[in-house]
Amino acid sequence: MTEEDKLAGSSPQRVLTGIILASIALLGVFSEAFFFFSLIWLVIFVAAFEWTSFIGLGDYPSKFIYSVSVLGLCLLCFYSTKNPELLVGFIFVGVVFWFFATIFIYRAALGLFAVKEGWFVASAGVVILSSTCAALTFLYGQSPALVIVLLCTVCSVDILAYFGGKSKGRRKLAPLITPNKTWEGVWFGVAGGSTVSLILGYSFLPFDNSILLVLSFSTVFFAIVGDLLESLFKRMANLKDSGNLLPGHGGVLDRVDSLLAGAPVFAGVIILARVYE
């Protein structure tokens, strides 16, 4: 069987899994807060468990301790709703991290360096997952519509980048990080994600056009950065996927990598814009 045949065979499975995941996510947003946050905590716990493969933890007790520690920080984010300054602090730690992660990815794409120390990857996982949880907690507290726009934006980037890259991809984006992603896929993702974000934002969010433009394009850009960073960590750990829990997608991290970067940046722009004050 050729590689093209394998990809064609996996596409329906990938689409079906994506529809199921999107349905669960929307159900969570429209449900009571406790169900929504329980869903987030479950995803964070599983994602943290998968992250231990990047660190090199092989035994289940170590994996469990790391995952529980990350989940504990996320629970602190939830209870930080009574202390907005702490919640905002979590979010902007994530924003700063992703700014420097962009530089790190750029240098890694040029082959200039790649950090292999386990402590660095472990610390990155704690920051990324806790700041994502903080961002989703903040956004849901302001308006569930924000979470819907965010999820639709990052999903559009993922879907159109994947199918655009498979159908039209020619020029490799960063072969030292990932052999599969192409510039054509990126442009499909940028166009699709930006269009969805702008349409939904204009329809449902009380933002000025200038704020909406910044929100949309910054979220789309960092969604791509999040995807690349996860690919880099997989490359460093010699892994094809972060796990095998989701048919056609790999692991949970393979599905939420764009959200991990997009959520803190999305929330950070809204906080700086002071729309909800």
Side-chain angles (χ1 to χ4, degrees):
M1 181 181 291
T2 66
E3 187 66 22
E4 288 76 8
D5 292 334
K6 292 179 181 178
L7 289 171
S10 68
S11 293
Q13 188 180 52
R14 183 183 181 91
V15 171
L16 178 60
T17 303
I19 291 173
I20 294 173
L21 292 175
S23 301
I24 294 173
L26 289 175
L27 177 64
V29 173
F30 288 112
S31 299
E32 294 184 357
F34 181 77
F35 179 81
F36 173 75
F37 288 113
S38 296
L39 183 61
I40 292 176
W41 298 332
L42 175 61
V43 171
I44 292 292
F45 179 81
V46 175
F49 196 87
E50 292 180 352
W51 197 277
T52 59
S53 298
F54 300 160
I55 304 170
L57 298 180
D59 58 292
Y60 281 100
S62 298
K63 289 174 174 284
F64 184 77
I65 291 172
Y66 180 84
S67 304
V68 169
S69 300
V70 173
L71 182 60
L73 268 180
C74 293
L75 292 174
L76 179 61
C77 293
F78 174 73
Y79 288 106
S80 296
T81 53
K82 298 179 181 178
N83 184 357
E85 291 80 10
L86 183 58
L87 190 63
V88 170
F90 269 108
I91 292 170
F92 277 101
V93 167
V95 172
V96 172
F97 171 87
W98 284 110
F99 173 79
F100 285 104
T102 304
I103 301 173
F104 174 69
I105 292 169
Y106 174 74
R107 292 180 62 84
L110 297 177
L112 297 180
F113 71 92
V115 179
K116 293 184 179 295
E117 286 80 358
W119 66 265
F120 172 80
V121 182
S123 301
V126 172
V127 171
I128 290 171
L129 295 172
S130 62
S131 63
T132 299
C133 186
L136 292 172
T137 301
F138 169 80
L139 294 171
Y140 186 83
Q142 298 299 318
S143 171
L146 292 170
V147 179
I148 294 173
V149 173
L150 169 64
L151 292 177
C152 290
T153 299
V154 297
C155 285
S156 298
V157 174
D158 274 351
I159 292 170
L160 289 170
Y162 176 80
F163 286 104
K166 295 306 178 187
S167 61
K168 302 294 184 182
R170 298 293 182 271
R171 297 173 297 161
K172 298 297 183 181
L173 174 63
L176 293 179
I177 295 177
T178 171
N180 297 323
K181 292 180 174 57
T182 63
W183 278 107
E184 289 80 5
V186 168
W187 295 126
F188 269 88
V190 169
S194 300
T195 300
V196 169
S197 182
L198 289 171
I199 291 174
L200 293 180
Y202 185 78
S203 301
F204 300 110
L205 302 181
F207 296 164
D208 294 335
N209 290 337
S210 58
I211 295 174
L212 187 57
L213 285 170
V214 174
L215 181 68
S216 298
F217 289 114
S218 59
T219 303
V220 168
F221 173 79
F222 279 97
I224 294 170
V225 171
D227 194 349
L228 285 172
L229 184 66
E230 198 238 358
S231 295
L232 176 59
F233 284 153
K234 285 191 294 186
R235 187 72 171 254
M236 291 163 57
N238 295 315
L239 296 173
K240 181 180 182 296
D241 296 312
S242 64
N244 54 12
L245 185 63
L246 304 176
H249 290 270
V252 169
L253 279 172
D254 295 317
R255 182 65 276 160
V256 302
D257 49 9
S258 299
L259 179 65
L260 296 179
V265 172
F266 189 94
V269 171
I270 291 172
I271 292 169
L272 292 176
R274 301 179 182 273
V275 177
Y276 287 92
E277 287 190 349

